[in-house]
Amino acid sequence: MGNAYTYYSYEEYGRGYIGARSKSPLGDDDYFGTFSEANFCPTHKIILSEFETMEEALAAEVKLHKFFEVDINPHFANKAKQ
């Protein structure tokens, strides 16, 4: 099992958020990401990838942020790219 994760939290039929974390977000029922938008209320989350190091998880997060252009894509609650 990995020591770092990239994850996707989302609103059912709504927007999503891509992040990285050093512990599994699935084991923490109150954690859906570090976002500050009051209108984003995620209710679901999935692990996209597991990694041995946080550096690897952050590199994967950077690639996903770039691919989905999360900073300008209205389907994401991310305010900026990693």
Side-chain angles (χ1 to χ4, degrees):
M1 178 161 286
N3 296 319
Y5 306 84
T6 55
Y7 65 93
Y8 179 66
S9 59
Y10 60 98
E11 301 167 317
E12 192 167 18
Y13 310 111
R15 293 178 301 149
Y17 176 89
I18 295 174
R21 193 164 192 221
S22 60
K23 70 178 198 174
S24 175
L26 296 185
D28 187 345
D29 292 338
D30 295 323
Y31 185 82
F32 286 92
T34 308
F35 54 88
S36 59
E37 190 172 322
N39 293 335
F40 179 58
C41 300
T43 55
H44 299 74
K45 55 190 161 186
I46 59 171
I47 291 176
L48 300 173
S49 304
E50 295 183 35
F51 300 94
E52 291 300 317
T53 68
M54 192 61 193
E55 290 79 17
E56 292 172 307
L58 288 171
E61 181 186 18
V62 166
K63 288 178 184 176
L64 290 167
H65 282 194
K66 183 176 180 180
F67 179 81
F68 289 108
E69 298 182 321
V70 298
D71 57 327
I72 60 171
N73 187 334
H75 297 286
F76 289 88
N78 296 76
K79 296 281 187 196
K81 291 181 190 172
Q82 175 64 268

